[in-house]
């Protein structure tokens, strides 16, 4: 840490903790894990911090909501070790993930626009061209067949059984439900959250039950993006104060 007037001001762990409603042990843990730079010690062994440490703590706590605790911790450790380029790479990866999540949300919305035009076909006899089996459907979605079986147990898909072979047969409605389940899982929704949505779509024959979920998803992505901006500002402040 470069010498500057702020490094000569001495703060106690409680001084850093009080600003954020943390325990002094949490502050010590952050230092020990490399999120804060090493503290000086008094002759009697007590930790002493500086305003630069306080800035580091503010940067970490601002980064965490947008990047997640593990990534925010890795960013701070890289900065404190002088590996700024590694910190920037981690930040870039988080932004890329947010962009990918936005694309996923758009894909879900595009899929939902097609739902009204998608209707189950077939009467249980010879499978129509839109029907498929578990292996091809899993391949199409980029998941394992075991995942589709898990979704079936959770009520997300309800394939019928071929009367001759006993194989699962997914009609167009099942493919639709599997695609929606896949996209919503990518969006962070739990199986227990997805099941009632898909059940309501089946029963109502419409998209209204998903509107609230999509609105919430938009809100969470926007909050992450805003939090990343806040985190970037605090990190920039820390980098300048660190010198």
């Amino acid at each position: 840490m470069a010498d500057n007037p702020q490094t000569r001001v001495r703060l106690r762990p409680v001084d850093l903790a009080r600003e954020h409603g943390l325990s002094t042990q949490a502050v010590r843990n952050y230092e020990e894990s490399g999120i804060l730079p090493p503290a000086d010690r008094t002759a009697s062994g007590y930790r002493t911090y500086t305003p630069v440490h306080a800035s580091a703590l503010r940067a970490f706590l601002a980064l965490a909501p947008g990047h997640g605790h593990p990534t925010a911790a890795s960013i701070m450790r890289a900065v404190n070790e002088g590996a700024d380029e590694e910190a920037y790479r981690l930040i870039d990866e988080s932004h890329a993930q947010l962009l990918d999540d936005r694309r996923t949300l758009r894909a879900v919305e595009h899929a939902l626009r097609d739902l009204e035009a998608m209707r189950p076909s077939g009467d249980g006899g010879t499978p129509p061209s839109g029907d498929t089996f578990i292996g091809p459907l899993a391949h199409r979605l980029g998941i394992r067949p075991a995942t589709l079986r898990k979704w079936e147990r959770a009520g997300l898909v309800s394939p019928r059984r071929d009367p001759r072979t006993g194989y699962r047969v997914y009609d167009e409605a099942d493919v639709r439900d599997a695609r929606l389940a896949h996209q919503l899982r990518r969006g962070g929704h739990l199986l227990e959250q997805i099941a009632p949505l898909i059940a309501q779509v089946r029963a109502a024959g419409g998209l209204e039950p998903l509107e609230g979920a999509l609105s919430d998803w938009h809100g969470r992505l926007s909050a992450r993006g805003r939090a990343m901006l806040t985190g970037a500002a605090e990190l920039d402040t820390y980098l300048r104060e660190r010198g």
Side-chain angles (χ1 to χ4, degrees):
M1 188 184 302
D3 184 39
N4 64 61
Q6 293 202 77
T7 65
R8 294 192 290 273
V9 177
R10 296 303 170 188
L11 301 172
R12 301 166 299 167
V14 68
D15 296 322
L16 272 65
R18 187 178 292 130
E19 178 183 353
H20 306 286
L22 300 173
S23 68
T24 54
Q25 184 59 51
V27 173
R28 289 191 288 268
N29 291 343
Y30 287 150
E31 182 201 342
E32 290 171 0
S33 65
I35 291 171
L36 303 183
D40 290 333
R41 298 277 184 152
T42 66
S44 54
Y46 291 107
R47 290 176 171 85
T48 62
Y49 296 106
T50 70
V52 175
H53 290 89
S55 181
L57 181 57
R58 283 192 290 271
F60 168 70
L61 295 176
L63 288 166
H67 298 272
H69 189 285
T71 299
S74 295
I75 291 169
M76 294 303 299
R77 278 193 288 267
V79 167
N80 292 329
E81 291 168 3
D84 290 5
E85 290 300 318
E86 172 64 10
Y88 302 150
R89 184 190 67 79
L90 291 167
I91 292 169
D92 289 345
E93 285 186 349
S94 278
H95 282 280
Q97 182 61 58
L98 178 60
L99 178 59
D100 185 62
D101 289 345
R102 290 189 186 281
R103 288 170 174 160
T104 297
L105 175 55
R106 285 198 297 271
V108 172
E109 292 175 324
H110 290 319
L112 293 178
R113 291 192 193 106
D114 297 335
L115 277 181
E116 291 299 335
M118 297 174 68
R119 290 289 186 268
S121 59
D123 58 4
T126 302
S129 60
D131 286 3
T132 188
F133 296 103
I134 191 168
L137 179 56
H139 179 74
R140 187 189 310 178
L141 296 176
I143 60 178
R144 298 178 302 165
T147 300
L148 281 171
R149 289 191 287 268
K150 181 178 180 181
W151 291 357
E152 182 180 350
R153 291 192 296 271
L156 306 188
V157 290
S158 303
R160 70 179 188 276
R161 295 284 183 153
D162 185 286
R164 293 172 300 173
T165 64
Y167 293 160
R168 293 171 172 84
V169 179
Y170 297 82
D171 64 20
E172 291 182 17
D174 296 318
V175 172
R176 174 204 67 195
D177 294 345
R179 183 169 64 172
L180 290 177
H182 180 51
Q183 298 287 19
L184 290 169
R185 285 290 290 142
R186 290 189 64 190
H189 288 72
L190 304 176
L191 294 183
E192 54 266 33
Q193 296 172 316
I194 298 171
L197 291 173
I198 290 181
Q200 290 174 51
V201 168
R202 290 178 191 148
L207 311 181
E208 293 81 4
L210 290 180
E211 290 178 357
L214 292 176
S215 177
D216 177 67
W217 193 351
H218 271 290
R220 286 188 285 113
L221 292 182
S222 295
R224 277 172 56 194
R226 183 66 179 268
M228 285 181 178
L229 292 176
T230 302
E234 290 290 352
L235 180 62
D236 181 64
T237 297
Y238 172 53
L239 291 172
R240 286 187 284 104
E241 291 182 357
R242 180 198 62 174

